[in-house]
Amino acid sequence: PESRWRVLLKILFGVLMAAGSAAAQESGAATRPAFGERPNVLFISTDDLNIDLGCYGRPWARTPNLDRLAEQGVRFDLTYCQYPLCNPSRVSMLTGLRPDTTRVYDLATNFRTTVPDAVTLPQLFRQNGYYTARVGKIFHYGVPRQIGTPGMDDPISWDFTFNPLGRDKIEEDRLHILTRGTGTNTIGFAMAWLSMDGTDEEQTDGIGVAQTVRLLEEVARERRPFFIGMGFYRPHTPFVATHRWFDAHPLESVKLHTRPADDLDDVPDIALHIRPPDYGLDEGGLRDCMRGYRAAVSCLDAQVGILLDTLDRLGLAENTIVVFFSDNGFLLGQHGQWQKQLLFDESARVPLIIRVPGMGGKGPCLRPVELLDVYPTLVELCRLPAPPQQLEGRSLVPFLRDPATPSDRPAFSQVTRNVGRGEQRRRIMGYSVRTQRWRYTEWGPDGRRGRELYDHETDPGEFRNLAEDPAHRETVEQLRGLLQQVRRYRPAT
């Protein structure tokens, strides 16, 4: 019965509250700035969220709270992660370094083994007197396997941490699992969904939001400047939400993406990740998964609304920067592909909304930007000293002041592929550059494994690869030149 679950969750909550800990290392914290002297930061991360939001022009989305945040702040329409996979993307954003600098290309590598002296974004705030707290997934977690644990957290970045765990994790045995993922026997890459009993407050993300609300109440009462990270686990697979959000997206309203019959004829095989297309699932299974994803996004939106309302209720909104983003995008059947680890636009492109008191309401920014840019942006806005590492992004403050500020700077993403077998097996890199009009990708050294060029002005779905078209040779050469700015991967010998 539901009442028993409430009792169990209260017990678990008490245990997890006891496990929430102050980080052991002080990391040279400076004198605390006076409350209100510098802006606070509410840093909201999501997992595997694409731009299927109302504010990004998706009419089927049910995201009124994120739409509200976008109206009050600046919505960045062309934001790209540096590596479309959780750990490399988060490490890049939180250290301000590109993947070829951090040398983190997978889910297992801890950046403290590759760039041990890097000062992370929350660590810099902590060193400068801010109270820093993490709730949920900010650094990498294996989802759902590591829900309720610290995952691959970075203890010296935080004064306090909290690892929520709810019914979505406890009741995993109820999932509808259609695949077991790609080359792995976990549900972390599975096509799986569940319409949950109970309330949103009993889910992992709901428990995390409740804890974040308590932290906001505490810092408001004690008048402490803060950097608080609330890391959502959804909409990462398995696609889980309570019945109310599935009901908000009736199955008959869910339409699958369509594509030309020859869509993949001109795409290098190495660019693909899901084989066979759509996992070989039938239309019914695919629609169930897409419905589950949309339900999870709507549930996420409602939880973000609680956080925004809390800032208003406590009088914190007038001096708190809100950053909302996803670590990578997510394909939902475009090109027969699902999930991430691809360089198609839907995989590398992410939502990014930044609300700065006094800087919003001037429309969206249509210039290409990178998640890498968030670190220097917050450094500038909060007047922090630069970290010891040379940040590789650029501040977005000019766009926050005027979203129409001219810029010809592109955005870069990359992803690895393993090729060959046995002793011949090796890793190669694909690099992609995105300008306002074009996306160009090279696989392997000098593009010898394949090249892609898409004109987003005439082909936003990326159905026609123009890389080998002589009419676009000059464009290819220009974009290749841009890739040379960031292409530094050297395979191990």
Side-chain angles (χ1 to χ4, degrees):
E2 186 173 315
S3 58
R4 284 194 318 191
W5 281 113
R6 289 184 181 277
V7 172
L8 176 59
L9 286 168
K10 285 181 180 179
I11 294 171
L12 285 169
F13 180 76
V15 171
L16 291 169
M17 276 295 291
S21 61
Q25 184 170 337
E26 284 301 320
S27 195
T31 302
R32 179 194 303 176
F35 185 74
E37 180 182 61
R38 295 178 182 174
N40 307 304
V41 178
L42 179 59
F43 191 74
I44 306 173
S45 77
T46 61
D47 205 348
D48 289 3
L49 178 65
N50 58 28
I51 61 167
D52 284 353
L53 307 172
C55 56
Y56 281 88
R58 303 302 192 259
W60 63 82
R62 302 288 182 269
T63 55
N65 296 291
L66 289 171
D67 300 348
R68 166 172 49 127
L69 182 65
E71 289 177 2
Q72 297 169 343
V74 175
R75 182 190 80 228
F76 291 86
D77 273 22
L78 294 177
T79 306
Y80 290 82
C81 69
Q82 277 43 80
Y83 195 112
L85 185 64
C86 297
N87 190 37
S89 175
R90 290 169 184 263
V91 165
S92 178
M93 182 183 192
L94 291 164
T95 63
L97 303 172
R98 295 193 183 278
D100 282 347
T101 302
T102 66
R103 303 189 303 284
V104 175
Y105 305 116
D106 55 35
L107 298 179
T109 303
N110 188 312
F111 73 95
R112 290 296 179 194
T113 67
T114 57
V115 283
D117 297 326
V119 172
T120 71
L121 178 60
Q123 184 183 2
L124 186 67
F125 274 84
R126 187 169 186 240
Q127 289 178 345
N128 285 277
Y130 279 73
Y131 173 73
T132 62
R134 171 191 63 78
V135 178
K137 181 175 180 178
I138 299 296
F139 291 92
H140 178 60
Y141 275 67
V143 175
R145 178 174 52 89
Q146 292 180 312
I147 288 178
T149 78
M152 293 176 64
D153 193 30
D154 185 55
I156 64 175
S157 292
W158 312 106
D159 293 298
F160 175 86
T161 62
F162 181 79
N163 306 307
L165 184 150
R167 290 184 69 168
D168 47 316
K169 173 63 177 175
I170 296 168
E171 298 185 27
E172 278 182 359
D173 59 342
R174 298 181 55 204
L175 288 167
H176 302 279
I177 301 175
L178 308 184
T179 73
R180 279 285 178 180
T182 53
T184 179
N185 192 32
T186 77
I187 57 174
F189 289 93
M191 293 283 277
W193 63 275
L194 178 62
S195 181
M196 286 285 308
D197 296 330
T199 67
D200 295 348
E201 291 75 20
E202 296 170 310
Q203 309 302 310
T204 297
D205 283 339
I207 293 170
V209 165
Q211 173 60 36
T212 304
V213 168
R214 280 184 284 272
L215 287 173
L216 290 170
E217 291 171 340
E218 178 182 321
V219 293
R221 183 171 58 253
E222 298 181 0
R223 298 180 63 79
R224 303 176 69 183
F226 63 84
F227 180 106
I228 295 178
M230 169 59 213
F232 287 90
Y233 297 89
R234 303 297 175 209
H236 192 293
T237 184
F239 312 124
V240 178
T242 52
H243 297 316
R244 64 181 291 206
W245 301 115
F246 275 78
D247 292 343
H249 297 275
L251 188 58
E252 61 270 19
S253 72
V254 177
K255 309 298 182 187
L256 298 179
H257 292 286
T258 59
R259 57 184 185 272
D262 62 352
D263 176 26
L264 300 181
D265 290 357
D266 56 6
V267 176
D269 185 67
I270 198 169
L272 307 176
H273 190 60
I274 304 303
R275 301 179 183 84
D278 296 318
Y279 295 98
L281 296 174
D282 62 23
E283 180 178 335
L286 297 174
R287 290 176 66 209
D288 282 336
C289 287
M290 184 176 285
R291 182 191 187 197
Y293 185 88
R294 291 184 180 179
V297 172
S298 290
C299 184
L300 160 73
D301 176 82
Q303 295 298 315
V304 171
I306 293 173
L307 297 176
L308 299 179
D309 290 345
T310 300
L311 291 178
D312 290 337
R313 172 171 61 86
L314 298 173
L316 293 172
E318 61 192 29
N319 194 44
T320 298
I321 299 166
V322 178
V323 179
F324 175 88
F325 70 98
S326 177
D327 54 0
N328 47 254
F330 202 85
L331 285 100
L332 293 166
Q334 296 93 335
H335 314 288
Q337 302 296 291
W338 292 75
Q339 305 200 43
K340 49 201 175 184
Q341 299 187 73
L342 298 119
L343 291 175
F344 290 115
D345 209 61
E346 295 84 1
S347 177
R349 188 177 174 189
V350 300
L352 174 65
I353 303 171
I354 302 178
R355 187 180 76 182
V356 180
M359 283 191 180
K362 300 177 182 177
C365 176
L366 307 181
R367 315 302 185 195
V369 303
E370 302 175 290
L371 285 185
L372 197 69
D373 299 334
V374 171
Y375 195 144
T377 301
L378 292 178
V379 167
E380 180 175 353
L381 289 171
C382 297
R383 304 190 302 279
L384 300 181
Q389 71 269 25
Q390 181 66 46
L391 298 180
E392 296 181 280
R394 298 184 188 179
S395 173
L396 301 175
V397 170
F399 298 129
L400 292 169
R401 293 191 176 118
D402 179 4
T405 297
S407 172
D408 59 1
R409 182 180 176 230
F412 300 96
S413 304
Q414 61 188 100
V415 74
T416 58
R417 288 287 186 268
N418 291 317
V419 299
R421 296 182 178 179
E423 294 182 357
Q424 300 301 314
R425 187 174 176 83
R426 58 195 176 91
R427 182 168 62 190
I428 67 169
M429 189 69 72
Y431 286 91
S432 190
V433 57
R434 180 69 156 86
T435 67
Q436 203 149 353
R437 177 174 179 178
W438 303 96
R439 184 173 75 81
Y440 175 69
T441 301
E442 289 189 348
W443 296 95
D446 300 319
R448 290 196 292 268
R449 291 276 180 167
R451 303 189 300 170
E452 299 170 77
L453 175 68
Y454 301 103
D455 183 354
H456 275 255
E457 191 172 280
T458 61
D459 180 28
E462 300 189 338
F463 295 130
R464 295 181 60 234
N465 181 4
L466 305 172
E468 305 305 327
D469 185 339
H472 296 284
R473 184 176 296 120
E474 183 175 344
T475 298
V476 167
E477 289 305 310
Q478 291 174 347
L479 296 172
R480 290 192 72 196
L482 293 177
L483 280 184
Q484 299 311 311
Q485 299 176 18
V486 297
R487 189 170 193 153
R488 298 195 304 275
Y489 174 69
R490 296 292 181 270
T493 56

